[in-house]
Amino acid sequence: MNAVLVPQEYIENITYDELTIGQSARVVRTLTLSDIQIFAAVSGDVNPTHVDPGYALTTQANGVTAHAMWGGTLISSLLGTSFPGPGTVYVEQMLRFLQPLRVGDTLTVVATVIAKEDAAKRVSLDCQVSNQSGATVLSGTAVVLAPVKKVRRPAVQVPHWSNFDPAARLEALLASVRHLVAVRCAVVHPCDAESLRGALDAARHGLIIPILIGPEVKIRGVAKAIGLDLAGVHIEPVEHSVAAAERAVELALLGEADIIMKGSLHTDELMHAVIGSRAMRTARRLSHVFRFDVPMYDKPLLLSDAALNIHPTLEEKADIIQNAVTLAHALGVKRPNVAILAAVETVNVKMQSTLDAAALCKMADRGQIKGANLDGPLAFDNAISMEAVRIKGIESTVAGNADILIVPDLESGNMLAKQLEYLAGATTCGVVLGAKVPIALTSRADSATARVSSAALALLLAHHYRKAQP
């Protein structure tokens, strides 16, 4: 008897007495990149052959392949869930790995009963796994203790895996700016490993031409300690971080730097130099915008302002929104949805954030804020969850589909940003708008990758500013 096993609402076994020599069953599964990544995450096996495309191309397999034991789990799945099924106890498994498993392979797993031992209720099964071309990629023999009692139970729904690939998200961002020419970047006080590595990585990706500003001996010492080559990289020697920030502003005003990137100094040191220069200011207030890739959200999410403006006024919030909209436009979102956050989704005269939100929406109606759809006040769940919108009966083109989140103040924004990063597993980068040049602004604790992403945002804005100076 042969059977093709497919997912069902119930799971049912085949008892020892029901099994016969020659009886077989099969299951079909197509290998995806997510399968490989999830197996690597669960097993801890991050062999670059399986997870690093660049390295995998240098191997005999000439590309990414699945872990060999992933194929073994297909056999285990067949035996444990269907043939014989619930109550089966693994005793022994012998496997021969004959060909690599590649993304897109459609694998057919066949298990056939070849021997039975009545006294112990042991069953031996021949196991074969073949690909879409009919080639055998995996073969072996399994020995199990078969169930003696019939079992039929509702199939348990296992947790859904959300396969979030930060490397793929970063690559997508970098791919979106590869057509842009690298710009000159004043890197302010890159005197620790991550800030220096981030600047040089951004240069390697073709985003910036770095000008390193800081104590030269210290910069070179950091480079030597972590094995980075500074050959051909211009260094502007200054004594300390404050002088580095001031020199970066000078270079920007002279037209010798198109963007500024924060290194290992405090944010207030850098921003004091920027704000202190009247020539660096524009008609709009300076504000910071985070860009998040959130595992459970289907598109990038911008958040402002969680870094610079502590208690913004209504007028300042209008600038904060317009700056965020400018970044969204540079990122290719033609008319972004802006959700103005508060604790509730109705106007409450005792809650200033809800009054500001309503006023900002009216300002957008009158053309005082341009290029976006605004709605608010909206609670956070209403801004990003269509299910919450449905349950609460909210009618809005923005609710549940936000591109930009505007927070009431810095405290709430900073807490939300940290929650997205540390609890929701989001990856982040950030940039300051409202100055003559974009400023890639990250936390001193951020990785080199976050700095590369922030450089990509600043590059986009630098080219955008050449068309429409803020």
Side-chain angles (χ1 to χ4, degrees):
M1 177 177 69
N2 298 315
V4 178
L5 302 171
V6 295
Q8 298 181 0
E9 292 183 9
Y10 285 86
I11 185 169
E12 184 174 352
N13 65 4
I14 301 172
T15 66
Y16 178 86
D17 291 336
E18 293 173 325
L19 293 169
T20 59
I21 303 297
Q23 183 177 355
S24 66
R26 68 187 177 100
V27 67
V28 179
R29 173 78 174 266
T30 298
L31 174 64
T32 68
L33 181 59
S34 291
D35 291 327
I36 297 174
Q37 294 169 335
I38 290 171
F39 190 91
V42 172
S43 67
D45 183 353
V46 291
N47 182 334
T49 300
H50 311 304
V51 296
D52 184 341
Y55 173 81
L57 286 172
T58 69
T59 67
Q60 186 177 0
N62 193 33
V64 167
T65 59
H67 306 73
M69 283 307 300
W70 183 83
T73 65
L74 298 184
I75 297 173
S76 175
S77 174
L78 175 58
L79 300 182
T81 61
S82 306
F83 189 74
T88 299
V89 178
Y90 242 130
V91 175
E92 181 181 302
Q93 178 76 67
M94 187 278 289
L95 294 172
R96 291 184 296 274
F97 304 102
L98 305 173
Q99 290 194 27
L101 309 177
R102 300 183 183 277
V103 173
D105 280 353
T106 297
L107 304 171
T108 300
V109 184
V110 179
T112 304
V113 178
I114 56 175
K116 296 180 67 178
E117 300 177 34
D118 292 342
K121 307 301 183 185
R122 290 162 65 103
V123 178
S124 297
L125 303 103
D126 175 68
C127 306
Q128 302 290 324
V129 181
S130 58
N131 63 20
Q132 64 278 5
S133 301
T136 300
V137 296
L138 182 63
S139 68
T141 304
V143 178
V144 301
L145 297 180
V148 295
K149 293 182 179 180
K150 196 68 175 175
V151 175
R152 187 175 189 269
R153 297 180 61 82
V156 175
Q157 298 299 313
V158 297
H160 172 70
W161 280 83
S162 175
N163 182 38
F164 177 64
D165 186 349
R169 298 289 184 97
L170 173 61
E171 176 56 31
L173 175 60
L174 295 179
S176 72
V177 300
R178 284 207 176 98
H179 65 289
L180 300 176
V181 177
V183 296
R184 295 162 300 179
C185 176
V187 186
V188 185
H189 203 255
C191 294
D192 68 357
E194 291 305 308
S195 62
L196 183 57
R197 183 181 288 111
L200 297 184
D201 283 353
R204 181 171 54 82
H205 283 291
L207 305 175
I208 65 171
I209 302 167
I211 304 167
L212 308 182
I213 309 174
E216 183 170 1
V217 171
K218 194 169 185 178
I219 293 172
R220 292 193 181 279
V222 171
K224 183 178 180 180
I226 59 177
L228 294 177
D229 184 5
L230 295 181
V233 179
H234 179 62
I235 298 177
E236 287 267 340
V238 298
E239 293 182 358
H240 44 67
S241 57
V242 173
E246 293 171 350
R247 180 56 178 158
V249 169
E250 289 176 6
L251 292 177
L253 293 176
L254 290 170
E256 296 178 16
D258 302 289
I259 65 176
I260 293 173
M261 176 185 283
K262 178 191 168 189
S264 58
L265 75 170
H266 288 280
T267 295
D268 58 354
E269 289 181 304
L270 174 57
M271 297 313 300
H272 180 77
V274 174
I275 295 170
S277 170
R278 183 176 296 273
M280 276 289 285
R281 305 295 297 274
T282 68
R284 237 183 259 165
R285 187 173 183 83
L286 273 73
S287 63
H288 179 271
V289 183
F290 277 114
R291 178 189 182 275
F292 286 101
D293 277 313
V294 187
M296 298 303 291
Y297 203 62
D298 62 354
K299 57 183 175 179
L301 193 59
L302 302 183
L303 172 66
S304 192
D305 181 354
L308 293 185
N309 292 282
I310 298 175
H311 291 293
T313 64
L314 178 64
E315 184 179 17
E316 291 165 353
K317 286 180 180 179
D319 277 355
I320 289 169
I321 292 172
Q322 199 67 68
N323 282 340
V325 170
T326 296
L327 177 57
H329 289 169
L331 287 166
V333 184
K334 293 183 179 179
R335 193 167 183 84
N337 291 328
V338 180
I340 307 169
L341 298 184
V344 295
E345 63 274 6
T346 55
V347 176
N348 186 325
V349 295
K350 296 180 180 180
M351 300 176 69
Q352 186 62 44
S353 61
T354 68
L355 298 174
D356 285 354
L360 290 164
C361 290
K362 181 53 67 176
M363 290 172 72
D365 290 343
R366 300 291 169 84
Q368 293 171 268
I369 301 173
K370 302 179 184 296
N373 304 314
L374 272 66
D375 198 5
L378 289 172
F380 178 74
D381 58 340
N382 306 326
I384 53 91
S385 168
M386 289 302 299
E387 180 65 11
V389 170
R390 183 190 64 79
I391 291 171
K392 294 188 177 182
I394 299 172
E395 294 184 8
S396 168
T397 58
V398 173
N401 190 33
D403 298 293
I404 299 171
L405 303 178
I406 301 298
V407 295
D409 53 36
L410 185 144
E411 283 189 314
S412 60
N414 190 269
M415 286 187 280
L416 176 55
K418 294 294 193 294
Q419 288 162 4
L420 289 173
E421 183 176 3
Y422 289 97
L423 288 179
T427 56
T428 183
C429 52
V431 66
V432 172
L433 298 91
K436 288 290 186 182
V437 301
I439 302 170
L441 189 69
T442 53
S443 166
R444 285 175 295 154
D446 282 341
S447 67
T449 299
R451 297 167 194 274
V452 171
S453 302
S454 298
L457 295 185
L459 171 65
L460 270 172
L461 285 170
H463 282 271
H464 187 78
Y465 284 5
R466 290 173 182 177
K467 300 175 184 177
Q469 181 66 39

